[in-house]
Amino acid sequence: VRPSSPHLPSAGGLLSASGLKLATLGLILCVSLAGNVLFAWLILKDRHLHRAPYYLLLDLCLADGLRSLACFPFVMLSVRSGAAWPHGPLSCKVLAFLAVLFCFHAAFLLFCVGVTRYMAIAHHRFYAKRMTGWTCLAVVCMVWTLSMAMAFPPVFDVGTYKFIREEEQCIFEHRYVKANDTLGFMLMLAAVIAATHLVYIKLLFFIHGHRKMKPAQLVPAISQNWTFHGPGATGQAAANWTAGFGRGPTPPTLVGIRQATHSQIKRLLVLEEFKMEKRLCKMFYMITLLFLLLWSPYIVACYLRVFIKASSIPQVYLTTSVWMTFAQAGVNPILCFIFNKELRVCLRARPRQFYTKVIFDDLERCCFIII
């Protein structure tokens, strides 16, 4: 059998390892671009989603889409080239810089999201007053600045960026512990992920401790200036005032009723906001948990290469762990669609508006042509 060119796979190429990698990464690329762009467009277009948590989700979607667009095609090219980098070392450094930048950006942003979710539940008044659009912009700028600070030093060979043949991508060169200078970066990534889950654990304990809310209690209004007052003041004083014969301040009975009604309505609104914040917490925690599950095998592989010789790590495990990190860029839109009812409703409403607009535009053109 004549061997095929690396750029022209044979008929059975899809069944080979390279063909499977290309098909899987191509699917991840398409799902990531379509899902992240769709949700970013939805958040920008729908005014109901112009709130702090969705602003942070918008930044996460845009970053994942950019990662897919900037990094994955070059990985596919290296796979087609037979696990080789066809370009120069400078382009490899740039690509590795982008890959590490997007990785740390997701980790830092998910940590900030966890903190804001805790503030939204535990300190709702402060969160509602302070977490504005400008605050979200400041958080996003801080996250990108920290990510740049973590990704930029290896450009100057402080933790070298190189093409790793076993991973078929440009990334950190994790050398043995005696000559290692990338251990600090991996420890920082693990620390941020662990801190994020600690925030959610603290939030879980807070919700569990406050799961039984006290019912609203009606405090009767009592005044010495009225004959009928107290809990049984449902009689003549209130009736006379309602009929228009009363003078002076409002009877205590009516004041108590009005205050109780207002407090009940306010409490219902607070409970509804609390339920909405809990649903958002659930969605963001699932994103954080999946980030941990998809990145943990690769982080373990990096630590093994730092402390153990690279040849002792099975190639199948290493390849699978790398492709799991690629899949992380495409799963967030799927999780948002599953765990966020508000996004599902907005997503279903938008196509109807689009099709209605197209139909009306076509009718207008037909009427214009007939006239």
Side-chain angles (χ1 to χ4, degrees):
V1 180
R2 182 179 298 176
S4 59
S5 172
H7 296 281
L8 296 173
S10 62
L14 292 176
L15 300 178
S16 66
S18 298
L20 182 61
K21 291 177 184 178
L22 290 173
T24 306
L25 192 55
L27 178 63
I28 294 172
L29 175 62
C30 294
V31 172
S32 177
L33 286 178
N36 287 300
V37 170
L38 176 63
F39 275 99
W41 173 82
L42 186 65
I43 293 171
L44 290 173
K45 283 290 184 180
D46 202 310
R47 293 183 178 180
H48 295 91
L49 302 179
H50 289 181
R51 304 200 304 272
Y54 292 107
Y55 290 147
L56 300 179
L57 180 62
L58 173 64
D59 181 58
L60 184 62
C61 290
L62 292 177
D64 286 339
L66 288 174
R67 179 193 173 199
S68 304
L69 189 62
C71 301
F72 293 173
F74 291 97
V75 177
M76 297 175 71
L77 182 61
S78 67
V79 172
R80 288 173 60 90
S81 302
W85 181 249
H87 305 289
L90 180 60
S91 59
C92 185
K93 281 190 175 183
V94 172
L95 191 65
F97 166 77
L98 292 176
V100 175
L101 174 69
F102 290 128
C103 172
F104 276 102
H105 168 267
F108 283 128
L109 184 66
L110 290 176
F111 173 75
C112 293
V113 168
V115 173
T116 58
R117 291 295 86 210
Y118 179 81
M119 297 293 293
I121 297 294
H123 307 282
H124 183 71
R125 291 184 179 179
F126 178 83
Y127 172 85
K129 185 178 180 180
R130 298 295 183 183
M131 202 62 188
T132 62
W134 290 106
T135 308
C136 293
L137 181 61
V139 171
V140 169
C141 292
M142 180 191 68
V143 167
W144 282 107
T145 302
L146 291 175
S147 305
M148 290 278 291
M150 294 302 301
F152 200 75
V155 174
F156 300 100
D157 294 333
V158 182
T160 311
Y161 285 151
K162 285 187 178 180
F163 178 77
I164 309 300
R165 183 180 177 87
E166 294 81 6
E167 300 181 18
E168 298 174 314
Q169 66 170 340
C170 293
I171 199 68
F172 274 124
E173 183 187 14
H174 298 284
R175 290 173 282 193
Y176 190 57
V177 64
K178 293 182 179 180
N180 175 66
D181 49 8
T182 62
L183 182 59
F185 297 96
M186 301 309 301
L187 289 174
M188 175 60 72
L189 181 61
V192 173
I193 296 175
T196 306
H197 283 82
L198 288 177
V199 172
Y200 279 104
I201 291 173
K202 185 177 181 180
L203 176 60
L204 181 63
F205 279 111
F206 179 85
I207 295 175
H208 185 267
H210 295 76
R211 68 190 185 279
K212 293 183 179 180
M213 300 182 68
K214 295 181 179 180
Q217 300 193 8
L218 304 180
V219 179
I222 300 176
S223 175
Q224 301 299 328
N225 298 327
W226 291 81
T227 305
F228 302 94
H229 61 90
T234 58
Q236 198 61 42
N240 290 342
W241 182 269
T242 306
F245 297 105
R247 294 176 180 270
T250 306
T253 306
L254 297 182
V255 172
I257 292 174
R258 291 175 184 176
Q259 290 177 350
T261 304
H262 177 71
S263 64
Q264 286 177 341
I265 294 174
K266 186 175 180 181
R267 184 172 178 272
L268 289 175
L269 292 175
V270 171
L271 285 175
E272 188 61 31
E273 290 179 359
F274 181 74
K275 291 178 181 177
M276 182 182 66
E277 297 295 348
K278 281 182 65 176
R279 289 193 294 265
L280 287 172
C281 287
K282 183 178 180 180
M283 180 193 72
F284 279 113
Y285 180 69
M286 293 306 299
I287 293 175
T288 306
L289 180 61
L290 203 59
F291 181 86
L292 172 66
L293 294 177
L294 292 177
W295 275 91
S296 291
Y298 180 72
I299 294 175
V300 171
C302 293
Y303 280 117
L304 289 176
R305 282 186 293 178
V306 168
F307 296 104
I308 306 174
K309 293 183 179 180
S311 58
S312 62
I313 303 176
Q315 182 61 39
V316 176
Y317 174 83
L318 186 58
T319 302
T320 304
S321 64
V322 171
W323 253 249
M324 287 175 65
T325 63
F326 295 157
Q328 184 269 327
V331 296
N332 290 341
I334 300 174
L335 290 178
C336 293
F337 184 79
I338 294 174
F339 292 99
N340 195 310
K341 183 179 179 181
E342 191 174 9
L343 284 175
R344 290 199 303 270
V345 171
C346 295
L347 189 62
R348 290 167 184 169
R350 279 291 164 180
R352 296 174 186 173
Q353 298 176 6
F354 175 76
Y355 290 133
T356 304
K357 183 178 183 302
V358 170
I359 291 172
F360 281 138
D361 289 345
D362 291 341
L363 287 175
E364 277 185 6
R365 288 171 190 160
C366 293
C367 293
F368 180 77
I369 293 172
I370 292 173
I371 294 172

